[in-house]
């Protein structure tokens, strides 16, 4: 038995599907209490990582994403793009400290 033999097979972890590609990070504008368990609960100012904006299985007006470790669908009108400081500066909506 080697030092790293913890009884778990390393081969099992290689069969995991790849993580979904994150299309963007969005901030929740207002709370959304879902009608079903496959919808995400959205709480104002939480971040949502969006994986899918179109395609099979998505109702009109919904995206698929993850927040607080839970994946599901949600109405996209409840979120807005979470812009970085560089994006805000480029849009003229923010300035760096000491910048006039």
């Amino acid at each position: 038995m080697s030092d790293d033999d913890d009884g778990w097979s390393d081969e099992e972890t290689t069969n995991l599907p790849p993580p979904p590609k994150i299309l963007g990070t969005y901030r929740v504008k207002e709370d959304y209490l879902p009608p079903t368990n496959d919808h995400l609960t959205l709480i104002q100012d939480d971040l949502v990582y969006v994986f899918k904006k179109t395609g099979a299985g998505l109702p009109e007006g919904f995206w698929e994403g993850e927040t607080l470790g839970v994946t599901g669908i949600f109405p996209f009108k409840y979120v807005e793009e979470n812009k970085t400081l560089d994006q805000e500066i480029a849009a003229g909506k923010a300035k760096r400290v000491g910048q006039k």
Side-chain angles (χ1 to χ4, degrees):
M1 192 179 236
S2 67
D3 290 336
D4 65 343
D5 189 6
D6 56 8
W8 293 91
S9 170
D10 292 337
E11 293 175 16
E12 292 173 16
T13 60
T14 60
N15 295 329
L16 296 175
K21 180 182 177 188
I22 296 174
L23 302 177
T25 304
Y26 291 76
R27 183 170 300 282
V28 178
K29 296 190 291 188
E30 63 180 282
D31 294 352
Y32 169 70
L33 299 176
T36 66
N37 288 339
D38 63 336
H39 289 215
L40 287 178
T41 298
L42 302 177
I43 305 298
Q44 186 174 9
D45 291 328
D46 279 354
L47 294 179
V48 179
Y49 303 102
V50 175
F51 305 137
K52 188 175 176 184
K53 292 182 176 181
T54 61
L58 280 181
E60 179 79 25
F62 282 76
W63 289 348
E64 180 181 64
E66 180 264 325
T67 185
L68 303 174
V70 180
T71 300
I73 63 172
F74 61 94
F76 65 78
K77 69 179 184 177
Y78 284 84
V79 298
E80 62 188 0
E81 186 176 11
N82 187 45
K83 297 187 178 184
T84 65
L85 178 58
D86 288 337
Q87 289 171 317
E88 293 287 331
I89 291 169
K93 295 182 178 180
K95 295 181 180 179
R96 295 198 186 279
V97 174
Q99 180 183 3
K100 294 184 180 190

